[in-house]
Each structure stands twice: as structure tokens, then as C-alpha cells.
Amino acid sequence: MREQEDDRLYSDPRLVDFYDLENGWGQDTRYCAELARTAGSVLDFGCGTGLFLAGIADGRPMVGVDPASAMLEVARHRTNGEQVRWVEGDIRSIRLGERFDLVTMTGHAFQCLLTDADVKAALATIAAHLTPSGQFIFDSRNPARREWEGWTPEASRRTVAHPDYGKVESWNDVAVDEETGVVCYETAYRLASGETLSSRSSIRFIDQAHLAGLIARAGLVIDVWLGDWIGAPFEPGCKEIIPLGRLA
């Protein structure tokens, strides 16, 4: 996605250094790792720094796709990173000419798709890379929870322990377009030297009913809607919107 590729949070090596400190192995990657146990091949879109695939690499065919070269550079140098094929590409248009038993997209990377046209293109790509019995899964924050309201400087201020910079003060700031569901937020890190590293990102919040319609029109079927990465079923007030499905 061009927007993500241009976002310094993903393209500036110094900001990429902070990414895993705040986005490490979690419930999403653990859930997907369990799904992957019985998959003969795995494709991960928005793979970022490769934490997930490198963590489960065991010789099976695995491909990680991301538009940010700085993120992929980290992925290639991970332990077991050499067992994964890392591809720089855009989910809206990439075609690998292969099909996979499991297609994943975690870390809310799906929300970097800012329009219905982007979502339709991404879903077509997912469909094009699934085996007849393959599964796909991704996550999106539920707009009903209005999580962005906690992304103000006052509410988000925190300290991040960096191995080179030490304790770093960090915060977010946010602006919301209620009509489109697009949220623009700033991520900032103030180093001990006084220098501030910052980036601006845009993501979209999409409701479950609208997403369900787009998925159905893409020739995909949802077997279960999850409301979190522990496995609870989706309900209107859930934090997450997580479709787990397959080809129609």
C-alpha cells in the first residue's frame, strides 16, 4: 500500500526499530500460529518485520508480503528468516502465481486499506492465493468501540525501553473523519538527546456489516466471526472484527 510505504513508521529504519518494542508476539500471532499447525503453506500479508512467520518457520513453504522495504530488511535478518520468502509488494495488486493453505493478515494491517476499492482489491488478492480448502483470517478494530479516542497525547503518553536509546517518552495524537471512518494519527518518540522521531499514519475503521458485504462479493465465505483473538464470537460491542473464512 502506497500510503503505508510512505509512512515513516514503516519506512524509517530508526522508527522501525521501535515497531517490535510496541508490537511484539501477542494473542493474534499465537492464534494464527495454532491455525498454521495444520497448514501445509502460509502466506502473510502485511508481514512487517517478520515476527510471525520467522517464529513458526519449520521448512514448510512460507511467504511474507509487505510494501515497506525497511520492515522486510529486519525480517530477512531474523532467526529463521532465511526459511521464509520475503516479498515487497502491495496486497491490492500482487499475484504470486501460487496458492496457500492459510492466508493471514494480523496487527490490524487490514485497516491500512482506506477505501472500499482498496478493500475489494485486497479481498480479490486473498481469494486468488487460497487453495480450494484453504483458510484466511485478518483483523480490524471495531469502530463501535471508538478506540481512537484514547490516542490523544494525554491518554497515550508512555515510556518505551529501547536497547540503544534507553527510556524514550512516546505519545500519539489523532484526527478523525467520522464520515469516511479514516483516522489519522501521529506516533512520536522523544529521545534523551531532545530529538523527536515522529510519523503520521492513516487507517480506516469499517463496521462488521459493511465488511461482510464486501467479503461476500469477493467470492469468499466466513465460517466464523471472532470478537477477539482468544476465540470469543463477534458481538456488536467486541473490540475486534475478525473474519475466519475460505473460498465460496
Side-chain angles (χ1 to χ4, degrees):
M1 289 155 282
R2 185 76 240 174
E3 295 86 355
Q4 181 178 340
E5 189 176 356
D6 291 339
D7 186 338
R8 292 184 64 229
L9 187 62
Y10 308 107
S11 62
D12 184 328
R14 290 198 297 169
L15 282 165
V16 169
D17 278 348
F18 282 96
Y19 183 83
D20 283 344
L21 297 177
E22 300 208 80
N23 300 276
W25 198 270
Q27 292 178 344
D28 56 348
T29 42
R30 285 192 288 270
Y31 191 98
C32 289
E34 186 63 26
L35 280 180
R37 287 182 57 194
T38 56
S41 54
V42 182
L43 170 60
D44 187 32
F45 285 113
C47 66
T49 62
L51 183 75
F52 170 56
L53 288 184
I56 65 169
D58 59 4
R60 288 175 292 167
M62 293 188 182
V63 178
V65 175
D66 200 276
S69 58
M71 303 287 266
L72 293 174
E73 187 63 20
V74 175
R76 293 187 181 97
H77 290 90
R78 281 192 179 278
T79 300
N80 296 326
E82 76 284 351
Q83 296 188 44
V84 180
R85 180 154 58 95
W86 307 105
V87 179
E88 186 174 342
D90 187 326
I91 189 175
R92 295 172 296 186
S93 57
I94 192 170
R95 293 294 184 271
L96 297 171
E98 305 168 59
R99 293 184 179 266
F100 297 81
D101 297 316
L102 177 64
V103 176
T104 60
M105 192 176 191
T106 61
H108 304 115
F110 184 82
Q111 290 186 252
C112 293
L113 300 164
L114 301 182
T115 67
D116 277 2
D118 291 338
V119 171
K120 290 174 183 177
L123 293 172
T125 296
I126 290 172
H129 289 89
L130 281 170
T131 62
S133 60
Q135 292 181 295
F136 73 88
I137 191 167
F138 59 81
D139 59 353
S140 187
R141 298 174 184 88
N142 187 356
R145 292 286 291 266
R146 300 182 67 85
E147 187 175 332
W148 62 83
E149 292 180 348
W151 298 352
T152 62
E154 297 77 14
S156 64
R157 201 169 299 275
R158 59 200 179 274
T159 299
V160 179
H162 192 281
D164 297 324
Y165 299 125
K167 293 183 178 179
V168 176
E169 183 183 16
S170 179
W171 65 91
N172 300 105
D173 204 352
V174 67
V176 184
D177 185 330
E178 297 276 2
E179 183 175 348
T180 64
V182 174
V183 171
C184 299
Y185 66 95
E186 178 185 14
T187 305
Y189 300 95
R190 180 178 292 146
L191 309 183
S193 65
E195 181 183 6
T196 298
L197 305 176
S198 66
S199 68
R200 290 192 176 275
S201 309
S202 295
I203 59 175
R204 183 191 186 199
F205 285 73
I206 182 171
D207 66 65
Q208 188 263 352
H210 187 60
L211 178 58
L214 294 174
I215 290 173
R217 289 192 287 276
L220 298 167
V221 173
I222 303 303
D223 292 318
V224 61
W225 289 92
L226 302 176
D228 61 35
W229 282 108
I230 300 175
F234 175 79
E235 296 179 354
C238 285
K239 182 178 180 180
E240 305 282 354
I241 301 171
I242 305 171
L244 171 61
R246 53 185 166 79
L247 290 172

